[in-house]
Amino acid sequence: MTGPDDDWQARRREAAGAQAERAARNRAVEVAKARELVAGFVAEARRRRLATQPLRVRAGDSRDTYACGLVGWYLRRDGSLAVAEDGEMYVLTAPKSLRARLRGVTLRPDEPRLQAGIGGRDGESVALATLLELR
């Protein structure tokens, strides 16, 4: 026997599932647009022969950096975000570690977003298109 509470809970579960599906679709569309921006940047940077450099990973809040084996273009002055020659975007931060200091770190590409720095401190969120254009 089902009561009003059971019906309400079923409707809430259904609504939450639908909302999660919409959010996933919206994120996929945003990531696809951001990937197009990044690919356009890489093509233009190569066409203009913008110099690349070995990318370094920041160790926590310190000034220490680690090697990561990637070469590309920094997008932020603090060196926390970059696009590598492989056309992927990377957040260049890692926890402090002796092993990382000795052997470097292996990074995985991040899904680019149209707004870089979402969820960061005030003033850290910047449109990806603006960062790419400034570079």
Side-chain angles (χ1 to χ4, degrees), residues 1 11-13 18-19 22 28 40 42 46 49 54 67 71 78 80-81 86-87 98 102 105 108 115:
M1 185 164 165
R11 286 192 311 272
R12 291 307 317 144
R13 272 194 299 276
Q19 185 175 4
R22 278 192 307 276
V42 171
R46 287 182 177 150
R49 294 189 172 107
V71 175
D78 67 0
S80 63
L81 187 65
D86 64 4
L98 179 59
L102 297 173
V105 295
R108 292 195 174 128
Q115 197 71 19

Side-chain angles (χ1 to χ4, degrees), residues 3 7 10 17 22-23 28 32 34 37 39-40 50 52-54 60 76 80 95 97 104 106 123 127-128 133-135:
D7 291 341
R22 278 192 307 276
L37 288 173
L50 287 182
T52 59
Q53 58 188 335
R76 290 186 171 250
S80 63
S97 114
T106 301
L128 177 61
E133 187 177 310
L134 290 172
R135 182 62 187 112

Side-chain angles (χ1 to χ4, degrees), residues 2-135:
T2 62
D5 286 342
D6 293 336
D7 291 341
W8 180 85
Q9 288 175 348
R11 286 192 311 272
R12 291 307 317 144
R13 272 194 299 276
E14 186 177 314
Q19 185 175 4
E21 287 175 20
R22 278 192 307 276
R25 280 193 307 272
N26 290 342
R27 183 176 175 111
V29 168
E30 178 183 358
V31 168
K33 288 178 182 178
R35 284 192 189 282
E36 286 179 28
L37 288 173
V38 171
F41 166 79
V42 171
E44 184 66 14
R46 287 182 177 150
R47 186 185 73 73
R48 291 185 183 191
R49 294 189 172 107
L50 287 182
T52 59
Q53 58 188 335
L55 301 175
R56 305 284 299 176
V57 177
R58 291 179 37 208
D61 291 336
S62 74
R63 292 183 179 202
D64 297 341
T65 61
Y66 307 136
C68 65
L70 297 170
V71 175
W73 305 270
Y74 289 104
L75 297 182
R76 290 186 171 250
R77 287 181 189 225
D78 67 0
S80 63
L81 187 65
V83 173
E85 288 181 314
D86 64 4
E88 296 286 352
M89 182 172 282
Y90 294 88
V91 175
L92 301 173
T93 57
K96 287 183 97 171
S97 114
L98 179 59
R99 181 177 183 186
R101 181 184 293 268
L102 297 173
R103 295 188 177 185
V105 295
T106 301
L107 294 177
R108 292 195 174 128
D110 276 18
E111 286 186 334
R113 304 283 303 270
L114 292 175
Q115 197 71 19
I118 292 176
R121 295 182 296 220
D122 287 345
E124 288 189 352
S125 180
V126 178
L128 177 61
T130 301
L131 285 175
L132 296 171
E133 187 177 310
L134 290 172
R135 182 62 187 112

